Amino acid sequence: EIALHNLELLETIQSVQEGKVASDKNYRHLWEILLKNQFHDILPGTCISLAHDCSIKETNGLLEEASEIEKRYLHSEIQEEEFYSVLNTLGFSYKAIVEIDTNKKLIDPKGILKTQKITDMEGNTVLKVSGLELKPFAHTSIHLKESTDTDSSPFHYENNQLITPFAKVTFNQDGHIASFIDRRNGRELCEGIPFGSFASFEDVPAGWDGWDVDADSMKRLQVEKNRLLSREVVSDGEVEFRIRSHYKVCNHSTIIQDLIFYADSPLVEYDTKLLWRDKHQFLKAMFGTSICAQYAVHEIQFGNMKRPTTRNNSIEQAMFEVCCHKYMDLSEPSYGIAFLNDCKYGISVEDGTVGISLAKGGTRPDERGDMGDYRFRYGILPHMTGFQAQEVILPAYQFNYKPIVTQHSKRSSEPLLSINRGNLIIETIKPCEDAQKAFIARIYEAEGTYTKGELQTGFACSKIEYCDMMENPLSDYDGELIFQPFEIKNLKFTYDFNPT
């Protein structure tokens, strides 16, 4: 979905800049492959073996072809050796942490950006660059020069205790976080189950093995203990502090996990590789928090939904496992923790205890179950306000939609489109279905509140009009966007001539 979202944006930017017709002909067939493979049995993994094998092959092929098309959009005949172009694929500005595929130690000659060379779990060496201000839907050029300077570090790690610019963290003997004190307000966030602990239960549903999670199974939840196999600090510099741990989980599965703390963000990230070899087991990552909230906010498509954290009646008891998309937020009126993820959409919340579902071991209808090797990320983001777009929703988008880096490129551009309200999300930029010198922007209100906003464009636009989901014009845009809670609007932008 994100790969095709980016192709739509790249086609639109290129067409606007060149004053040509915007069309999806280069990748429309990929949408058809994606949608076929999001059939309601394929998406949750509840197909027969043959269907799973076909789906995995087609989806991998889709990603490979999308990557090649993306490279063609970004290719430049002019090579600038020490320059890198970074495309923000999101419709808002933010300071990004960018990964550059290089084994060189590079620095910013101006001293504004921080850099750090790391080696990931796969043995790949990349350069992390932080502090880069990205404009909405725009290319930003950065200049980096090779250096032999050693990294400085704002982190202090000693005797199983880590002090970061944002937190004071104490680890237990299993490498999980037993204490997490936010240095901005002195608050202890960890209460009960240590942050990041692994827990599992026997997964034998009474009805449908591949589909169901039974309520009584949660009562058998056991926090894994003494499963740590190895642990070491693998990176410590001016961008991040990274601890790599190796765990045995359930009966036959293992996890390699990088726990990452950032110098410029309170985000704590879990970059995880799971080698899943268990049947009829259900695995969760657990977080016992001190947050006192009656409801948790779970993202759904184009909005969010509140679910109770209590179990006071049969309706609440039935919500022992619920869905979320990019985030779930647990907040008091002036403080909270957001739980971000890039592909793990099942979660449980009871009182202040959160369990992110990582793997399920059903064996019917596919007798192999979900056995295989998986790579995914999740994280916690403490924030100094209640639930807000700026503190939760926009960081969740950043966690999922990574900037696109082009090496040896000096390309830069003005924002294609932006809005002056953080809770108005430009979710999609796409060519018109009937191929015109025009594109569609799909925008929604994300917090659940009445909002007025204004658009800013970075190109010469001859006409802006509201349209329906079928892209039929409804009315002209009058200069002000007015959204009801969770409302979705579609706008059509026509560029009849080259931009000035």
Side-chain angles (χ1 to χ4, degrees), residues 315-337:
I315 295 174
E316 292 181 358
Q317 290 164 13
M319 299 182 191
F320 62 91
E321 177 83 3
V322 298
C323 69
C324 67
H325 285 188
K326 296 181 289 296
Y327 67 82
M328 185 282 291
D329 185 68
L330 199 60
S331 281
E332 298 166 2
S334 59
Y335 190 86
I337 304 177

Short mmCIF file of all heavy atoms in Angstrom, two decimals, residues 315-337:
data_model
loop_
_atom_site.label_atom_id
_atom_site.label_comp_id
_atom_site.label_asym_id
_atom_site.label_seq_id
_atom_site.Cartn_x
_atom_site.Cartn_y
_atom_site.Cartn_z
N ILE A 315 -19.97 -6.61 27.47
CA ILE A 315 -19.55 -5.92 26.25
C ILE A 315 -18.06 -5.58 26.32
O ILE A 315 -17.31 -5.83 25.38
CB ILE A 315 -20.39 -4.64 26.04
CG1 ILE A 315 -21.85 -5.01 25.79
CG2 ILE A 315 -19.84 -3.82 24.87
CD1 ILE A 315 -22.78 -3.82 25.71
N GLU A 316 -17.62 -5.04 27.44
CA GLU A 316 -16.20 -4.72 27.60
C GLU A 316 -15.34 -5.98 27.63
O GLU A 316 -14.23 -6.00 27.09
CB GLU A 316 -16.00 -3.91 28.88
CG GLU A 316 -16.61 -2.52 28.82
CD GLU A 316 -16.38 -1.72 30.09
OE1 GLU A 316 -15.78 -2.28 31.04
OE2 GLU A 316 -16.80 -0.55 30.15
N GLN A 317 -15.86 -7.03 28.24
CA GLN A 317 -15.10 -8.28 28.31
C GLN A 317 -14.87 -8.88 26.92
O GLN A 317 -13.89 -9.58 26.70
CB GLN A 317 -15.84 -9.28 29.21
CG GLN A 317 -15.82 -8.89 30.68
CD GLN A 317 -16.86 -9.63 31.50
OE1 GLN A 317 -17.46 -10.61 31.04
NE2 GLN A 317 -17.09 -9.16 32.72
N ALA A 318 -15.78 -8.60 25.98
CA ALA A 318 -15.62 -9.11 24.62
C ALA A 318 -14.54 -8.37 23.85
O ALA A 318 -14.15 -8.81 22.76
CB ALA A 318 -16.96 -8.99 23.88
N MET A 319 -14.04 -7.25 24.40
CA MET A 319 -13.01 -6.46 23.71
C MET A 319 -11.61 -6.80 24.24
O MET A 319 -10.74 -5.94 24.34
CB MET A 319 -13.29 -4.96 23.89
CG MET A 319 -14.62 -4.52 23.31
SD MET A 319 -14.89 -2.74 23.49
CE MET A 319 -16.62 -2.62 23.02
N PHE A 320 -11.39 -8.08 24.53
CA PHE A 320 -10.09 -8.51 25.06
C PHE A 320 -8.99 -8.44 24.00
O PHE A 320 -7.81 -8.35 24.32
CB PHE A 320 -10.19 -9.94 25.62
CG PHE A 320 -10.56 -10.97 24.58
CD1 PHE A 320 -9.56 -11.63 23.88
CD2 PHE A 320 -11.88 -11.27 24.30
CE1 PHE A 320 -9.89 -12.59 22.91
CE2 PHE A 320 -12.21 -12.22 23.35
CZ PHE A 320 -11.22 -12.88 22.65
N GLU A 321 -9.38 -8.46 22.72
CA GLU A 321 -8.43 -8.33 21.61
C GLU A 321 -9.11 -7.51 20.53
O GLU A 321 -10.18 -7.89 20.04
CB GLU A 321 -8.03 -9.70 21.06
CG GLU A 321 -7.10 -9.67 19.86
CD GLU A 321 -5.63 -9.51 20.22
OE1 GLU A 321 -5.30 -9.49 21.42
OE2 GLU A 321 -4.80 -9.42 19.29
N VAL A 322 -8.53 -6.35 20.19
CA VAL A 322 -9.15 -5.46 19.21
C VAL A 322 -8.10 -5.05 18.18
O VAL A 322 -6.92 -5.39 18.30
CB VAL A 322 -9.76 -4.21 19.88
CG1 VAL A 322 -10.87 -4.60 20.83
CG2 VAL A 322 -8.70 -3.40 20.61
N CYS A 323 -8.55 -4.32 17.16
CA CYS A 323 -7.63 -3.95 16.09
C CYS A 323 -7.23 -2.48 16.20
O CYS A 323 -7.94 -1.66 16.78
CB CYS A 323 -8.25 -4.20 14.72
SG CYS A 323 -9.62 -3.10 14.33
N CYS A 324 -6.07 -2.17 15.68
CA CYS A 324 -5.66 -0.79 15.45
C CYS A 324 -4.78 -0.81 14.20
O CYS A 324 -4.29 -1.86 13.80
CB CYS A 324 -4.91 -0.21 16.64
SG CYS A 324 -3.30 -0.96 16.97
N HIS A 325 -4.60 0.35 13.61
CA HIS A 325 -3.73 0.42 12.43
C HIS A 325 -2.34 0.88 12.85
O HIS A 325 -1.60 0.12 13.44
CB HIS A 325 -4.35 1.32 11.37
CG HIS A 325 -5.50 0.66 10.64
ND1 HIS A 325 -6.11 1.21 9.54
CD2 HIS A 325 -6.14 -0.50 10.87
CE1 HIS A 325 -7.07 0.41 9.12
NE2 HIS A 325 -7.12 -0.63 9.90
N LYS A 326 -2.00 2.13 12.60
CA LYS A 326 -0.64 2.58 12.85
C LYS A 326 -0.37 2.91 14.32
O LYS A 326 0.78 2.95 14.73
CB LYS A 326 -0.32 3.81 11.99
CG LYS A 326 -0.33 3.52 10.49
CD LYS A 326 0.03 4.75 9.67
CE LYS A 326 -1.05 5.79 9.65
NZ LYS A 326 -2.30 5.34 9.00
N TYR A 327 -1.43 3.20 15.09
CA TYR A 327 -1.20 3.59 16.48
C TYR A 327 -2.34 3.14 17.38
O TYR A 327 -3.47 2.94 16.95
CB TYR A 327 -1.02 5.11 16.61
CG TYR A 327 -2.28 5.91 16.30
CD1 TYR A 327 -3.27 6.10 17.27
CD2 TYR A 327 -2.47 6.49 15.05
CE1 TYR A 327 -4.42 6.82 16.98
CE2 TYR A 327 -3.62 7.22 14.76
CZ TYR A 327 -4.59 7.38 15.74
OH TYR A 327 -5.73 8.09 15.47
N MET A 328 -2.00 3.00 18.66
CA MET A 328 -2.96 2.95 19.76
C MET A 328 -2.41 3.89 20.81
O MET A 328 -1.22 3.89 21.10
CB MET A 328 -3.10 1.54 20.33
CG MET A 328 -4.18 1.40 21.41
SD MET A 328 -3.70 2.02 23.04
CE MET A 328 -2.46 0.83 23.52
N ASP A 329 -3.29 4.72 21.37
CA ASP A 329 -2.83 5.72 22.34
C ASP A 329 -3.55 5.55 23.66
O ASP A 329 -4.77 5.37 23.71
CB ASP A 329 -3.07 7.13 21.80
CG ASP A 329 -2.48 8.18 22.73
OD1 ASP A 329 -1.24 8.23 22.84
OD2 ASP A 329 -3.24 8.93 23.36
N LEU A 330 -2.76 5.61 24.73
CA LEU A 330 -3.28 5.52 26.09
C LEU A 330 -2.90 6.82 26.79
O LEU A 330 -1.72 7.07 27.04
CB LEU A 330 -2.65 4.31 26.80
CG LEU A 330 -3.32 3.74 28.04
CD1 LEU A 330 -4.73 3.27 27.73
CD2 LEU A 330 -2.49 2.61 28.61
N SER A 331 -3.91 7.67 27.05
CA SER A 331 -3.60 9.01 27.54
C SER A 331 -4.49 9.44 28.68
O SER A 331 -5.69 9.14 28.73
CB SER A 331 -3.75 10.05 26.41
OG SER A 331 -2.65 10.05 25.55
N GLU A 332 -3.88 10.21 29.59
CA GLU A 332 -4.58 11.03 30.55
C GLU A 332 -4.77 12.41 29.91
O GLU A 332 -4.27 12.64 28.81
CB GLU A 332 -3.76 11.11 31.84
CG GLU A 332 -3.57 9.75 32.50
CD GLU A 332 -2.50 9.76 33.57
OE1 GLU A 332 -1.92 10.84 33.83
OE2 GLU A 332 -2.24 8.68 34.16
N PRO A 333 -5.46 13.36 30.57
CA PRO A 333 -5.70 14.66 29.91
C PRO A 333 -4.43 15.41 29.50
O PRO A 333 -4.45 16.14 28.50
CB PRO A 333 -6.48 15.43 30.97
CG PRO A 333 -7.21 14.39 31.74
CD PRO A 333 -6.27 13.22 31.80
N SER A 334 -3.34 15.24 30.24
CA SER A 334 -2.14 16.03 29.91
C SER A 334 -0.88 15.19 29.73
O SER A 334 0.24 15.71 29.73
CB SER A 334 -1.89 17.08 31.00
OG SER A 334 -1.71 16.45 32.27
N TYR A 335 -1.04 13.87 29.58
CA TYR A 335 0.14 13.01 29.38
C TYR A 335 -0.32 11.67 28.84
O TYR A 335 -1.45 11.23 29.11
CB TYR A 335 0.89 12.80 30.70
CG TYR A 335 2.24 12.13 30.51
CD1 TYR A 335 3.37 12.87 30.23
CD2 TYR A 335 2.36 10.75 30.60
CE1 TYR A 335 4.60 12.26 30.05
CE2 TYR A 335 3.58 10.13 30.42
CZ TYR A 335 4.70 10.89 30.14
OH TYR A 335 5.92 10.27 29.94
N GLY A 336 0.55 11.02 28.07
CA GLY A 336 0.18 9.70 27.55
C GLY A 336 1.32 8.99 26.88
O GLY A 336 2.44 9.50 26.77
N ILE A 337 1.02 7.78 26.42
CA ILE A 337 1.98 6.96 25.65
C ILE A 337 1.27 6.45 24.41
O ILE A 337 0.19 5.87 24.49
CB ILE A 337 2.50 5.75 26.46
CG1 ILE A 337 3.11 6.20 27.79
CG2 ILE A 337 3.53 4.98 25.65
CD1 ILE A 337 3.57 5.03 28.65
#
